[in-house]
Amino acid sequence: MTQGFVVENASVRRLDRSRVKRILFQLRLVSGLVLILYVLMHLTNLALGLHSIDAMEKARHVLLFPWMSWPGVTLLTAAVLVHAGLGLMTLALRRSLTLSRTDWVQMCLGLITPPLVLNHVAVAGILHHLDPDFRPDYTFLLSVYWNLAPKSALQQVLVVMVVWVHGAIGLYSWLVLKPVWRRIGAFVTPVLFFVPILALLGFVRGGKEALAKLAADGHWQERMRHSLDIMAEARPMLDVLQTRILLIYGLLALVACAILMLRILKRRRMRVGVTFETGQRVAARPGLSLLEISLLNHIPHANICSGRGRCGTCLVAITSDPSVLTPVSATEAQTLRRIQAAPGQRLACQAHLTHGSVELVRLLPFHVDAAFLRESHPAIDTALPEQVR
């Protein structure tokens, strides 16, 4: 009876952890969507510079005004903090640094994104605090960037590009595995690619128009001087705030990296073993997923979703004692049901080897792509070699 109670408690704990993981994933997804919407609206506004600065100004009241209101600022700040916090937590809880090139780019850009966005929000907030009537329009901003502060112009462009690329990779990774991608992929992919290009072209075209106006309009030159005085007054406060943001975030990032390294070093001396269907046997430290063990040992293994438990392409058949692996989580169970996996099959990205050794068979070629996954959910147990079935 006591044993049954312990097993039941363990099951409840696993269920609670799975529920927490789902909630955290949803929070990270929603906060990421808020950030990419914010950047999309900014880039769209910049792209209108291909027509004229007047077109940018007219659209600004629709595209940017929501982010200048207190609800918009609050939502954006919350999205940045949540996304940054969950990103650092995910980094700290990793068991290895086995990542694809795309995931390395995504992770590095993700670490850079939060302080850049927070600085942008802080600048707007401080300038409005100093002068509630201060509303820098595009003629002013483009004149400053192209005439007085070209380095700041380059910085702003890099900020937008970093955030956009990070968001675009995340959005694509989330959508590409869904059936709806067949209907929207032909539209979404060009948008992800062309929006930043059009924005850069609009930025250049608008800059030329702003410089022409600055050179010919004496009244506008006077307005520029007044606005620059306000910005000069705010400069010391902005420098202090930006330094604090970078310092606090940098310390949190260092803590996350330190926790990651300690987790890796702690398990380095402990060893477990995995034998593949080819007869190849490798050793690793306990706690890693079967997928991580494969990739760490340069053994090809399909993983379209990069180990997030969504695609099912890393499916393996366990041909030895499965008790050395972590139990099936709710996320893994859902994917296994969706791909009609047979008993004894696990997702290599979700099954972690806790002790001892295990034997497995990879069930899909390592080169399968998202199109294969969307178009077919075969009875994958037919891919098992005869000697294993």
Side-chain angles (χ1 to χ4, degrees), residues 50-73:
L50 285 169
H51 183 274
S52 66
I53 291 181
D54 285 340
M56 297 172 73
E57 281 302 318
K58 290 176 181 177
R60 184 166 70 101
H61 298 290
V62 177
L63 295 173
L64 301 187
F65 178 76
W67 304 106
M68 298 176 184
S69 63
W70 278 113
V73 171

Side-chain angles (χ1 to χ4, degrees), residues 95-264:
R95 294 166 298 277
S96 74
L97 291 174
T98 305
L99 297 167
S100 66
R101 292 186 182 91
T102 301
D103 285 337
W104 270 111
V105 172
Q106 176 76 339
M107 184 178 73
C108 292
L109 293 180
L111 288 173
I112 298 172
T113 295
L116 296 178
V117 178
L118 283 176
N119 277 336
H120 182 77
V121 175
V123 169
I126 287 179
L127 291 176
H128 181 69
H129 174 72
L130 289 176
D131 186 351
D133 297 326
F134 181 67
R135 290 288 187 273
D137 56 23
Y138 271 109
T139 304
F140 169 77
L141 292 174
L142 291 171
S143 298
V144 170
Y145 286 148
W146 283 97
N147 185 48
L148 302 175
K151 290 183 179 180
S152 296
L154 178 61
Q155 180 184 7
Q156 291 300 316
V157 170
L158 289 176
V159 167
V160 172
M161 292 301 107
V162 165
V163 178
W164 179 258
V165 173
H166 173 71
I169 293 175
L171 186 64
Y172 175 84
S173 301
W174 174 55
L175 289 176
V176 72
L177 299 175
K178 297 182 175 296
V180 72
W181 183 255
R182 283 178 291 186
R183 296 193 296 273
I184 68 173
F187 169 75
V188 173
T189 302
V191 169
L192 294 178
F193 183 75
F194 284 113
V195 162
I197 295 176
L198 294 175
L200 288 175
L201 293 175
F203 182 71
V204 173
R205 170 67 179 75
K208 292 180 179 179
E209 183 180 344
L211 290 178
K213 182 175 181 179
L214 181 63
D217 190 337
H219 175 69
W220 178 246
Q221 293 173 8
E222 182 62 31
R223 285 186 59 194
M224 277 282 294
R225 281 192 288 271
H226 174 68
S227 297
L228 289 174
D229 289 341
I230 295 176
M231 294 187 68
E233 182 183 352
R235 188 73 261 171
M237 191 183 305
L238 288 175
D239 289 340
V240 171
L241 183 59
Q242 290 174 342
T243 300
R244 288 179 179 175
I245 289 174
L246 290 175
L247 181 61
I248 294 172
Y249 182 78
L251 288 175
L252 292 175
L254 286 175
V255 170
C257 291
I259 294 174
L260 170 63
M261 297 310 300
L262 288 174
R263 286 166 56 85
I264 293 176

Side-chain angles (χ1 to χ4, degrees), residues 355-389:
H355 62 281
S357 60
V358 70
E359 298 176 2
L360 60 83
V361 176
R362 291 164 292 173
L363 297 180
L364 288 176
F366 72 91
H367 52 73
V368 296
D369 58 14
F372 169 86
L373 183 67
R374 290 192 304 269
E375 293 169 5
S376 62
H377 297 297
I380 300 179
D381 60 328
T382 59
L384 282 166
E386 275 303 321
Q387 67 268 26
V388 177
R389 277 189 278 160

